[in-house]
Amino acid sequence: MSTYIKDLQWRYATKKFDTSKKVSEEDLATLLEAVQLSASSYGLQPYHVFIITDTELRKKLQPVSWGQTQIVDSTYLVVLANKTEVDAEWIEAYLKNISETRSIPLDSLNEYREMMHGNLLNLSTEEKSKWSAKQTYIALGNLLSAAATLKIDTTPMEGFDATAYNEILGLTDKGLNACVVTAIGYRSEDDASQHYAKVRQPTKELITQI
Ligand SMILES: Cc1cc2nc3c(=O)[nH]c(=O)nc-3n(C[C@H](O)[C@H](O)[C@H](O)COP(=O)(O)O)c2cc1C
């Protein structure tokens, strides 16, 4: 069996973290690089990532996160926020980045600009937000898998009040929305759920080869 699959079997949504064990800054940087390298539609990366270590802030977030202990007990709390508005300015900044990174003229990207404008700018605000949230989940998936390869534990979380997060973190004014959260740390020996067998749909029900 591949090491990668073994790592995915090892990981689980951690319910209880060991507060005495801390994930190093170096490992955190690797996980964030996995986020940064995530694929996204057109490459636009329509999200922003917040790493929260501030204890007081995390105490404020816990009650609006179903009281989940991972919010305060993990080494890092990561809030992945999707962009609520995708506008011409954002697209232009991206095109400029491509032009500079690849040393190609901005003009050579005119068709790409038109395609992105045509497909994205006419979407309603709700549709844009849905689209950007989908991209954000790809980044989440990469973060979880990268953490597993480093034997670092995570809890992906949707069990929180996004409106309250937006208010506490001042996200709305930044054109952002708290999309999904993950806690990062090391599992507690007392977390019984680490021993539970993985429950997944049988391959035949999940996958069809045509
Ligand atoms: C987007 C998302 C949101 C989730 N929200 C929570 C959550 O708020 N709290 C929690 O304890 N687990 C949460 N989970 C964990 C799932 O329940 C868990 O991944 C699933 O039961 C499969 O188990 P495993 O990840 O341990 O293999 C979430 C998972 C995902 C992917």
Side-chain angles (χ1 to χ4, degrees), residues 107-154:
D107 276 0
S108 68
L109 300 167
N110 285 347
E111 269 182 38
Y112 198 37
R113 176 189 295 105
E114 270 171 39
M115 185 170 75
M116 287 191 279
H117 279 200
N119 291 335
L120 294 172
L121 297 186
N122 292 328
L123 296 179
S124 67
T125 307
E126 199 187 327
E127 285 169 330
K128 279 180 188 167
S129 200
K130 255 191 193 170
W131 170 80
S132 62
K134 287 184 202 165
Q135 313 313 316
T136 310
Y137 278 89
I138 297 173
L140 168 77
N142 272 350
L143 197 163
L144 302 184
S145 303
T149 67
L150 296 177
K151 293 284 187 292
I152 291 171
D153 290 295
T154 51

mmCIF file of all heavy atoms in Angstrom, residues 107-154:
data_model
loop_
_atom_site.group_PDB
_atom_site.id
_atom_site.type_symbol
_atom_site.label_atom_id
_atom_site.label_comp_id
_atom_site.label_asym_id
_atom_site.label_seq_id
_atom_site.Cartn_x
_atom_site.Cartn_y
_atom_site.Cartn_z
ATOM 1 N N ASP A 107 -0.364 42.177 -22.505
ATOM 2 C CA ASP A 107 -1.254 42.120 -23.683
ATOM 3 C C ASP A 107 -1.512 40.693 -24.157
ATOM 4 O O ASP A 107 -2.560 40.397 -24.716
ATOM 5 C CB ASP A 107 -0.601 42.872 -24.869
ATOM 6 C CG ASP A 107 -0.902 44.345 -24.768
ATOM 7 O OD1 ASP A 107 -1.598 44.710 -23.794
ATOM 8 O OD2 ASP A 107 -0.445 45.108 -25.649
ATOM 9 N N SER A 108 -0.515 39.819 -23.943
ATOM 10 C CA SER A 108 -0.665 38.440 -24.424
ATOM 11 C C SER A 108 -1.736 37.697 -23.617
ATOM 12 O O SER A 108 -2.103 36.579 -23.962
ATOM 13 C CB SER A 108 0.675 37.702 -24.349
ATOM 14 O OG SER A 108 1.035 37.507 -22.996
ATOM 15 N N LEU A 109 -2.200 38.316 -22.551
ATOM 16 C CA LEU A 109 -3.194 37.656 -21.697
ATOM 17 C C LEU A 109 -4.606 38.206 -21.920
ATOM 18 O O LEU A 109 -5.521 37.922 -21.143
ATOM 19 C CB LEU A 109 -2.787 37.820 -20.221
ATOM 20 C CG LEU A 109 -1.427 37.214 -19.863
ATOM 21 C CD1 LEU A 109 -0.959 37.699 -18.498
ATOM 22 C CD2 LEU A 109 -1.488 35.687 -19.882
ATOM 23 N N ASN A 110 -4.763 38.985 -23.007
ATOM 24 C CA ASN A 110 -6.064 39.627 -23.260
ATOM 25 C C ASN A 110 -7.221 38.621 -23.376
ATOM 26 O O ASN A 110 -8.292 38.837 -22.827
ATOM 27 C CB ASN A 110 -6.007 40.490 -24.530
ATOM 28 C CG ASN A 110 -5.232 41.779 -24.261
ATOM 29 O OD1 ASN A 110 -4.963 42.107 -23.100
ATOM 30 N ND2 ASN A 110 -4.859 42.486 -25.323
ATOM 31 N N GLU A 111 -6.958 37.516 -24.071
ATOM 32 C CA GLU A 111 -8.035 36.525 -24.244
ATOM 33 C C GLU A 111 -8.417 35.875 -22.922
ATOM 34 O O GLU A 111 -9.581 35.610 -22.654
ATOM 35 C CB GLU A 111 -7.592 35.425 -25.218
ATOM 36 C CG GLU A 111 -7.964 35.735 -26.650
ATOM 37 C CD GLU A 111 -7.567 34.621 -27.598
ATOM 38 O OE1 GLU A 111 -7.688 33.435 -27.232
ATOM 39 O OE2 GLU A 111 -7.105 34.962 -28.711
ATOM 40 N N TYR A 112 -7.363 35.635 -22.130
ATOM 41 C CA TYR A 112 -7.588 35.016 -20.812
ATOM 42 C C TYR A 112 -8.421 35.961 -19.945
ATOM 43 O O TYR A 112 -9.358 35.540 -19.249
ATOM 44 C CB TYR A 112 -6.233 34.714 -20.171
ATOM 45 C CG TYR A 112 -6.280 33.707 -19.042
ATOM 46 C CD1 TYR A 112 -7.144 32.613 -19.086
ATOM 47 C CD2 TYR A 112 -5.442 33.835 -17.937
ATOM 48 C CE1 TYR A 112 -7.187 31.690 -18.052
ATOM 49 C CE2 TYR A 112 -5.466 32.914 -16.901
ATOM 50 C CZ TYR A 112 -6.343 31.850 -16.957
ATOM 51 O OH TYR A 112 -6.380 30.935 -15.941
ATOM 52 N N ARG A 113 -8.076 37.279 -20.017
ATOM 53 C CA ARG A 113 -8.832 38.288 -19.270
ATOM 54 C C ARG A 113 -10.304 38.268 -19.687
ATOM 55 O O ARG A 113 -11.206 38.210 -18.858
ATOM 56 C CB ARG A 113 -8.252 39.690 -19.489
ATOM 57 C CG ARG A 113 -9.073 40.781 -18.788
ATOM 58 C CD ARG A 113 -8.658 42.192 -19.161
ATOM 59 N NE ARG A 113 -7.311 42.508 -18.711
ATOM 60 C CZ ARG A 113 -6.237 42.581 -19.500
ATOM 61 N NH1 ARG A 113 -6.364 42.353 -20.808
ATOM 62 N NH2 ARG A 113 -5.066 42.889 -19.016
ATOM 63 N N GLU A 114 -10.510 38.261 -21.008
ATOM 64 C CA GLU A 114 -11.888 38.281 -21.519
ATOM 65 C C GLU A 114 -12.668 37.052 -21.053
ATOM 66 O O GLU A 114 -13.836 37.147 -20.686
ATOM 67 C CB GLU A 114 -11.885 38.308 -23.051
ATOM 68 C CG GLU A 114 -11.864 39.715 -23.616
ATOM 69 C CD GLU A 114 -11.638 39.715 -25.121
ATOM 70 O OE1 GLU A 114 -12.196 38.826 -25.801
ATOM 71 O OE2 GLU A 114 -10.902 40.590 -25.588
ATOM 72 N N MET A 115 -11.995 35.909 -21.081
ATOM 73 C CA MET A 115 -12.660 34.670 -20.660
ATOM 74 C C MET A 115 -13.074 34.759 -19.182
ATOM 75 O O MET A 115 -14.202 34.437 -18.820
ATOM 76 C CB MET A 115 -11.728 33.479 -20.877
ATOM 77 C CG MET A 115 -12.386 32.154 -20.578
ATOM 78 S SD MET A 115 -11.382 30.774 -21.111
ATOM 79 C CE MET A 115 -10.123 30.749 -19.883
ATOM 80 N N MET A 116 -12.151 35.227 -18.343
ATOM 81 C CA MET A 116 -12.463 35.313 -16.910
ATOM 82 C C MET A 116 -13.553 36.344 -16.671
ATOM 83 O O MET A 116 -14.490 36.103 -15.911
ATOM 84 C CB MET A 116 -11.194 35.651 -16.111
ATOM 85 C CG MET A 116 -10.229 34.484 -16.025
ATOM 86 S SD MET A 116 -8.905 34.747 -14.851
ATOM 87 C CE MET A 116 -7.792 35.758 -15.803
ATOM 88 N N HIS A 117 -13.452 37.499 -17.362
ATOM 89 C CA HIS A 117 -14.499 38.527 -17.213
ATOM 90 C C HIS A 117 -15.854 37.952 -17.619
ATOM 91 O O HIS A 117 -16.835 38.092 -16.896
ATOM 92 C CB HIS A 117 -14.181 39.753 -18.087
ATOM 93 C CG HIS A 117 -13.182 40.670 -17.453
ATOM 94 N ND1 HIS A 117 -13.035 41.991 -17.820
ATOM 95 C CD2 HIS A 117 -12.270 40.472 -16.478
ATOM 96 C CE1 HIS A 117 -12.079 42.558 -17.096
ATOM 97 N NE2 HIS A 117 -11.593 41.641 -16.283
ATOM 98 N N GLY A 118 -15.870 37.295 -18.790
ATOM 99 C CA GLY A 118 -17.122 36.753 -19.328
ATOM 100 C C GLY A 118 -17.745 35.717 -18.401
ATOM 101 O O GLY A 118 -18.959 35.674 -18.226
ATOM 102 N N ASN A 119 -16.915 34.884 -17.803
ATOM 103 C CA ASN A 119 -17.460 33.790 -16.991
ATOM 104 C C ASN A 119 -17.722 34.168 -15.544
ATOM 105 O O ASN A 119 -18.520 33.522 -14.868
ATOM 106 C CB ASN A 119 -16.506 32.586 -17.025
ATOM 107 C CG ASN A 119 -16.484 31.946 -18.396
ATOM 108 O OD1 ASN A 119 -17.441 32.059 -19.162
ATOM 109 N ND2 ASN A 119 -15.382 31.299 -18.735
ATOM 110 N N LEU A 120 -17.022 35.192 -15.067
ATOM 111 C CA LEU A 120 -17.137 35.470 -13.627
ATOM 112 C C LEU A 120 -17.857 36.773 -13.273
ATOM 113 O O LEU A 120 -18.627 36.816 -12.319
ATOM 114 C CB LEU A 120 -15.735 35.492 -12.985
ATOM 115 C CG LEU A 120 -14.991 34.166 -12.981
ATOM 116 C CD1 LEU A 120 -13.556 34.346 -12.519
ATOM 117 C CD2 LEU A 120 -15.700 33.164 -12.064
ATOM 118 N N LEU A 121 -17.589 37.825 -14.045
ATOM 119 C CA LEU A 121 -18.084 39.141 -13.604
ATOM 120 C C LEU A 121 -19.607 39.264 -13.660
ATOM 121 O O LEU A 121 -20.186 40.059 -12.928
ATOM 122 C CB LEU A 121 -17.423 40.277 -14.396
ATOM 123 C CG LEU A 121 -15.901 40.397 -14.213
ATOM 124 C CD1 LEU A 121 -15.363 41.633 -14.911
ATOM 125 C CD2 LEU A 121 -15.500 40.416 -12.730
ATOM 126 N N ASN A 122 -20.246 38.451 -14.513
ATOM 127 C CA ASN A 122 -21.711 38.535 -14.594
ATOM 128 C C ASN A 122 -22.436 37.664 -13.572
ATOM 129 O O ASN A 122 -23.656 37.690 -13.491
ATOM 130 C CB ASN A 122 -22.190 38.158 -16.008
ATOM 131 C CG ASN A 122 -21.759 39.208 -17.016
ATOM 132 O OD1 ASN A 122 -21.670 40.392 -16.684
ATOM 133 N ND2 ASN A 122 -21.470 38.768 -18.226
ATOM 134 N N LEU A 123 -21.678 36.904 -12.812
ATOM 135 C CA LEU A 123 -22.324 36.070 -11.791
ATOM 136 C C LEU A 123 -22.907 36.976 -10.710
ATOM 137 O O LEU A 123 -22.376 38.057 -10.438
ATOM 138 C CB LEU A 123 -21.300 35.123 -11.142
ATOM 139 C CG LEU A 123 -20.633 34.058 -12.023
ATOM 140 C CD1 LEU A 123 -19.645 33.248 -11.184
ATOM 141 C CD2 LEU A 123 -21.668 33.128 -12.648
ATOM 142 N N SER A 124 -23.982 36.510 -10.082
ATOM 143 C CA SER A 124 -24.539 37.273 -8.957
ATOM 144 C C SER A 124 -23.563 37.163 -7.781
ATOM 145 O O SER A 124 -22.692 36.283 -7.768
ATOM 146 C CB SER A 124 -25.892 36.693 -8.549
ATOM 147 O OG SER A 124 -25.696 35.398 -8.007
ATOM 148 N N THR A 125 -23.739 38.034 -6.801
ATOM 149 C CA THR A 125 -22.855 38.001 -5.631
ATOM 150 C C THR A 125 -22.917 36.623 -4.976
ATOM 151 O O THR A 125 -21.886 36.082 -4.549
ATOM 152 C CB THR A 125 -23.279 39.092 -4.629
ATOM 153 O OG1 THR A 125 -23.341 40.326 -5.331
ATOM 154 C CG2 THR A 125 -22.309 39.211 -3.472
ATOM 155 N N GLU A 126 -24.121 36.047 -4.931
ATOM 156 C CA GLU A 126 -24.277 34.729 -4.302
ATOM 157 C C GLU A 126 -23.522 33.646 -5.096
ATOM 158 O O GLU A 126 -22.846 32.793 -4.519
ATOM 159 C CB GLU A 126 -25.767 34.402 -4.239
ATOM 160 C CG GLU A 126 -26.077 33.321 -3.232
ATOM 161 C CD GLU A 126 -27.543 32.888 -3.305
ATOM 162 O OE1 GLU A 126 -28.403 33.726 -3.611
ATOM 163 O OE2 GLU A 126 -27.786 31.697 -3.068
ATOM 164 N N GLU A 127 -23.645 33.730 -6.415
ATOM 165 C CA GLU A 127 -22.947 32.744 -7.256
ATOM 166 C C GLU A 127 -21.425 32.876 -7.132
ATOM 167 O O GLU A 127 -20.707 31.879 -7.098
ATOM 168 C CB GLU A 127 -23.363 32.917 -8.723
ATOM 169 C CG GLU A 127 -24.747 32.390 -9.045
ATOM 170 C CD GLU A 127 -25.243 32.804 -10.434
ATOM 171 O OE1 GLU A 127 -24.859 33.894 -10.931
ATOM 172 O OE2 GLU A 127 -26.025 32.049 -11.013
ATOM 173 N N LYS A 128 -20.972 34.120 -7.068
ATOM 174 C CA LYS A 128 -19.517 34.342 -6.922
ATOM 175 C C LYS A 128 -19.021 33.726 -5.608
ATOM 176 O O LYS A 128 -17.971 33.098 -5.551
ATOM 177 C CB LYS A 128 -19.217 35.843 -6.914
ATOM 178 C CG LYS A 128 -19.166 36.463 -8.297
ATOM 179 C CD LYS A 128 -18.868 37.947 -8.184
ATOM 180 C CE LYS A 128 -19.009 38.628 -9.529
ATOM 181 N NZ LYS A 128 -19.041 40.090 -9.426
ATOM 182 N N SER A 129 -19.806 33.948 -4.569
ATOM 183 C CA SER A 129 -19.413 33.450 -3.263
ATOM 184 C C SER A 129 -19.411 31.913 -3.244
ATOM 185 O O SER A 129 -18.520 31.291 -2.654
ATOM 186 C CB SER A 129 -20.366 34.004 -2.205
ATOM 187 O OG SER A 129 -19.772 33.939 -0.950
ATOM 188 N N LYS A 130 -20.380 31.320 -3.903
ATOM 189 C CA LYS A 130 -20.441 29.847 -3.995
ATOM 190 C C LYS A 130 -19.223 29.326 -4.739
ATOM 191 O O LYS A 130 -18.590 28.347 -4.344
ATOM 192 C CB LYS A 130 -21.692 29.433 -4.786
ATOM 193 C CG LYS A 130 -22.803 28.890 -3.949
ATOM 194 C CD LYS A 130 -23.837 28.283 -4.872
ATOM 195 C CE LYS A 130 -25.122 27.998 -4.135
ATOM 196 N NZ LYS A 130 -26.200 27.629 -5.047
ATOM 197 N N TRP A 131 -18.899 29.996 -5.834
ATOM 198 C CA TRP A 131 -17.754 29.591 -6.657
ATOM 199 C C TRP A 131 -16.457 29.697 -5.852
ATOM 200 O O TRP A 131 -15.641 28.774 -5.836
ATOM 201 C CB TRP A 131 -17.691 30.473 -7.927
ATOM 202 C CG TRP A 131 -16.435 30.299 -8.717
ATOM 203 C CD1 TRP A 131 -16.133 29.301 -9.590
ATOM 204 C CD2 TRP A 131 -15.285 31.156 -8.681
ATOM 205 N NE1 TRP A 131 -14.870 29.479 -10.096
ATOM 206 C CE2 TRP A 131 -14.337 30.609 -9.558
ATOM 207 C CE3 TRP A 131 -14.971 32.327 -7.991
ATOM 208 C CZ2 TRP A 131 -13.083 31.187 -9.768
ATOM 209 C CZ3 TRP A 131 -13.728 32.905 -8.189
ATOM 210 C CH2 TRP A 131 -12.799 32.338 -9.078
ATOM 211 N N SER A 132 -16.293 30.821 -5.154
ATOM 212 C CA SER A 132 -15.035 31.000 -4.402
ATOM 213 C C SER A 132 -14.960 30.025 -3.228
ATOM 214 O O SER A 132 -13.881 29.555 -2.871
ATOM 215 C CB SER A 132 -14.865 32.453 -3.941
ATOM 216 O OG SER A 132 -15.895 32.832 -3.066
ATOM 217 N N ALA A 133 -16.130 29.691 -2.652
ATOM 218 C CA ALA A 133 -16.121 28.725 -1.539
ATOM 219 C C ALA A 133 -15.650 27.350 -2.038
ATOM 220 O O ALA A 133 -14.884 26.669 -1.357
ATOM 221 C CB ALA A 133 -17.513 28.616 -0.921
ATOM 222 N N LYS A 134 -16.062 26.982 -3.241
ATOM 223 C CA LYS A 134 -15.624 25.684 -3.792
ATOM 224 C C LYS A 134 -14.104 25.638 -3.905
ATOM 225 O O LYS A 134 -13.472 24.633 -3.612
ATOM 226 C CB LYS A 134 -16.239 25.462 -5.182
ATOM 227 C CG LYS A 134 -17.706 25.141 -5.169
ATOM 228 C CD LYS A 134 -18.138 24.859 -6.608
ATOM 229 C CE LYS A 134 -19.616 25.056 -6.806
ATOM 230 N NZ LYS A 134 -19.980 25.129 -8.226
ATOM 231 N N GLN A 135 -13.527 26.738 -4.352
ATOM 232 C CA GLN A 135 -12.058 26.791 -4.497
ATOM 233 C C GLN A 135 -11.388 26.658 -3.122
ATOM 234 O O GLN A 135 -10.346 26.033 -2.965
ATOM 235 C CB GLN A 135 -11.603 28.103 -5.153
ATOM 236 C CG GLN A 135 -12.371 28.518 -6.395
ATOM 237 C CD GLN A 135 -12.570 27.398 -7.376
ATOM 238 O OE1 GLN A 135 -11.644 26.636 -7.659
ATOM 239 N NE2 GLN A 135 -13.776 27.270 -7.895
ATOM 240 N N THR A 136 -12.039 27.262 -2.135
ATOM 241 C CA THR A 136 -11.482 27.259 -0.778
ATOM 242 C C THR A 136 -11.419 25.836 -0.213
ATOM 243 O O THR A 136 -10.472 25.467 0.486
ATOM 244 C CB THR A 136 -12.349 28.178 0.123
ATOM 245 O OG1 THR A 136 -12.511 29.430 -0.537
ATOM 246 C CG2 THR A 136 -11.700 28.401 1.476
ATOM 247 N N TYR A 137 -12.434 25.027 -0.547
ATOM 248 C CA TYR A 137 -12.445 23.649 -0.043
ATOM 249 C C TYR A 137 -11.315 22.804 -0.647
ATOM 250 O O TYR A 137 -10.857 21.850 -0.021
ATOM 251 C CB TYR A 137 -13.803 22.986 -0.309
ATOM 252 C CG TYR A 137 -14.826 23.360 0.743
ATOM 253 C CD1 TYR A 137 -15.620 24.482 0.597
ATOM 254 C CD2 TYR A 137 -14.973 22.599 1.901
ATOM 255 C CE1 TYR A 137 -16.552 24.844 1.570
ATOM 256 C CE2 TYR A 137 -15.889 22.947 2.877
ATOM 257 C CZ TYR A 137 -16.676 24.067 2.700
ATOM 258 O OH TYR A 137 -17.577 24.411 3.665
ATOM 259 N N ILE A 138 -10.889 23.163 -1.855
ATOM 260 C CA ILE A 138 -9.759 22.426 -2.449
ATOM 261 C C ILE A 138 -8.507 22.687 -1.593
ATOM 262 O O ILE A 138 -7.746 21.772 -1.285
ATOM 263 C CB ILE A 138 -9.532 22.848 -3.914
ATOM 264 C CG1 ILE A 138 -10.767 22.496 -4.751
ATOM 265 C CG2 ILE A 138 -8.277 22.166 -4.497
ATOM 266 C CD1 ILE A 138 -10.738 23.021 -6.182
ATOM 267 N N ALA A 139 -8.351 23.937 -1.194
ATOM 268 C CA ALA A 139 -7.201 24.304 -0.341
ATOM 269 C C ALA A 139 -7.286 23.566 0.991
ATOM 270 O O ALA A 139 -6.275 23.062 1.511
ATOM 271 C CB ALA A 139 -7.170 25.814 -0.129
ATOM 272 N N LEU A 140 -8.497 23.477 1.525
ATOM 273 C CA LEU A 140 -8.676 22.747 2.795
ATOM 274 C C LEU A 140 -8.236 21.292 2.627
ATOM 275 O O LEU A 140 -7.491 20.759 3.448
ATOM 276 C CB LEU A 140 -10.150 22.785 3.237
ATOM 277 C CG LEU A 140 -10.496 21.827 4.385
ATOM 278 C CD1 LEU A 140 -10.012 22.394 5.720
ATOM 279 C CD2 LEU A 140 -11.986 21.519 4.450
ATOM 280 N N GLY A 141 -8.687 20.661 1.548
ATOM 281 C CA GLY A 141 -8.349 19.256 1.315
ATOM 282 C C GLY A 141 -6.843 19.053 1.260
ATOM 283 O O GLY A 141 -6.309 18.108 1.856
ATOM 284 N N ASN A 142 -6.171 19.955 0.558
ATOM 285 C CA ASN A 142 -4.709 19.831 0.460
ATOM 286 C C ASN A 142 -4.046 19.981 1.825
ATOM 287 O O ASN A 142 -3.093 19.275 2.140
ATOM 288 C CB ASN A 142 -4.149 20.895 -0.481
ATOM 289 C CG ASN A 142 -4.133 20.416 -1.908
ATOM 290 O OD1 ASN A 142 -4.351 19.248 -2.185
ATOM 291 N ND2 ASN A 142 -3.872 21.323 -2.824
ATOM 292 N N LEU A 143 -4.568 20.923 2.600
ATOM 293 C CA LEU A 143 -3.994 21.139 3.931
ATOM 294 C C LEU A 143 -4.135 19.882 4.792
ATOM 295 O O LEU A 143 -3.182 19.429 5.429
ATOM 296 C CB LEU A 143 -4.690 22.328 4.601
ATOM 297 C CG LEU A 143 -4.003 22.978 5.793
ATOM 298 C CD1 LEU A 143 -4.600 24.364 6.045
ATOM 299 C CD2 LEU A 143 -4.082 22.184 7.055
ATOM 300 N N LEU A 144 -5.311 19.277 4.760
ATOM 301 C CA LEU A 144 -5.552 18.067 5.575
ATOM 302 C C LEU A 144 -4.631 16.926 5.151
ATOM 303 O O LEU A 144 -4.053 16.233 5.987
ATOM 304 C CB LEU A 144 -7.009 17.607 5.448
ATOM 305 C CG LEU A 144 -8.125 18.578 5.844
ATOM 306 C CD1 LEU A 144 -9.482 17.894 5.726
ATOM 307 C CD2 LEU A 144 -7.930 19.121 7.242
ATOM 308 N N SER A 145 -4.503 16.755 3.830
ATOM 309 C CA SER A 145 -3.680 15.641 3.337
ATOM 310 C C SER A 145 -2.196 15.890 3.608
ATOM 311 O O SER A 145 -1.472 14.976 4.002
ATOM 312 C CB SER A 145 -3.907 15.442 1.839
ATOM 313 O OG SER A 145 -5.265 15.215 1.597
ATOM 314 N N ALA A 146 -1.777 17.138 3.407
ATOM 315 C CA ALA A 146 -0.364 17.466 3.680
ATOM 316 C C ALA A 146 -0.052 17.233 5.155
ATOM 317 O O ALA A 146 1.002 16.684 5.507
ATOM 318 C CB ALA A 146 -0.076 18.919 3.296
ATOM 319 N N ALA A 147 -0.985 17.609 6.015
ATOM 320 C CA ALA A 147 -0.769 17.418 7.459
ATOM 321 C C ALA A 147 -0.622 15.927 7.763
ATOM 322 O O ALA A 147 0.267 15.525 8.526
ATOM 323 C CB ALA A 147 -1.943 18.011 8.242
ATOM 324 N N ALA A 148 -1.457 15.102 7.123
ATOM 325 C CA ALA A 148 -1.387 13.655 7.373
ATOM 326 C C ALA A 148 -0.022 13.102 6.997
ATOM 327 O O ALA A 148 0.519 12.237 7.695
ATOM 328 C CB ALA A 148 -2.490 12.943 6.596
ATOM 329 N N THR A 149 0.560 13.612 5.915
ATOM 330 C CA THR A 149 1.871 13.105 5.501
ATOM 331 C C THR A 149 2.963 13.486 6.515
ATOM 332 O O THR A 149 3.998 12.852 6.566
ATOM 333 C CB THR A 149 2.293 13.615 4.097
ATOM 334 O OG1 THR A 149 2.507 15.022 4.171
ATOM 335 C CG2 THR A 149 1.260 13.293 3.040
ATOM 336 N N LEU A 150 2.708 14.524 7.296
ATOM 337 C CA LEU A 150 3.680 14.935 8.325
ATOM 338 C C LEU A 150 3.301 14.393 9.705
ATOM 339 O O LEU A 150 3.894 14.762 10.708
ATOM 340 C CB LEU A 150 3.743 16.466 8.396
ATOM 341 C CG LEU A 150 4.250 17.216 7.170
ATOM 342 C CD1 LEU A 150 4.163 18.723 7.403
ATOM 343 C CD2 LEU A 150 5.682 16.820 6.852
ATOM 344 N N LYS A 151 2.257 13.538 9.729
ATOM 345 C CA LYS A 151 1.731 12.993 10.992
ATOM 346 C C LYS A 151 1.334 14.134 11.947
ATOM 347 O O LYS A 151 1.622 14.120 13.145
ATOM 348 C CB LYS A 151 2.748 12.059 11.663
ATOM 349 C CG LYS A 151 3.011 10.767 10.884
ATOM 350 C CD LYS A 151 1.852 9.789 11.044
ATOM 351 C CE LYS A 151 2.116 8.427 10.429
ATOM 352 N NZ LYS A 151 2.189 8.406 8.960
ATOM 353 N N ILE A 152 0.662 15.097 11.343
ATOM 354 C CA ILE A 152 0.100 16.208 12.107
ATOM 355 C C ILE A 152 -1.414 16.059 12.033
ATOM 356 O O ILE A 152 -1.967 15.737 10.975
ATOM 357 C CB ILE A 152 0.559 17.562 11.528
ATOM 358 C CG1 ILE A 152 2.056 17.745 11.795
ATOM 359 C CG2 ILE A 152 -0.245 18.727 12.110
ATOM 360 C CD1 ILE A 152 2.661 18.934 11.083
ATOM 361 N N ASP A 153 -2.060 16.293 13.178
ATOM 362 C CA ASP A 153 -3.506 16.098 13.238
ATOM 363 C C ASP A 153 -4.275 17.376 12.923
ATOM 364 O O ASP A 153 -3.794 18.491 13.183
ATOM 365 C CB ASP A 153 -3.891 15.587 14.629
ATOM 366 C CG ASP A 153 -3.419 14.161 14.829
ATOM 367 O OD1 ASP A 153 -3.925 13.278 14.112
ATOM 368 O OD2 ASP A 153 -2.509 13.934 15.659
ATOM 369 N N THR A 154 -5.472 17.164 12.404
ATOM 370 C CA THR A 154 -6.314 18.296 12.008
ATOM 371 C C THR A 154 -7.786 17.974 12.303
ATOM 372 O O THR A 154 -8.157 16.807 12.370
ATOM 373 C CB THR A 154 -6.209 18.554 10.485
ATOM 374 O OG1 THR A 154 -6.427 17.335 9.789
ATOM 375 C CG2 THR A 154 -4.872 19.145 10.090
#
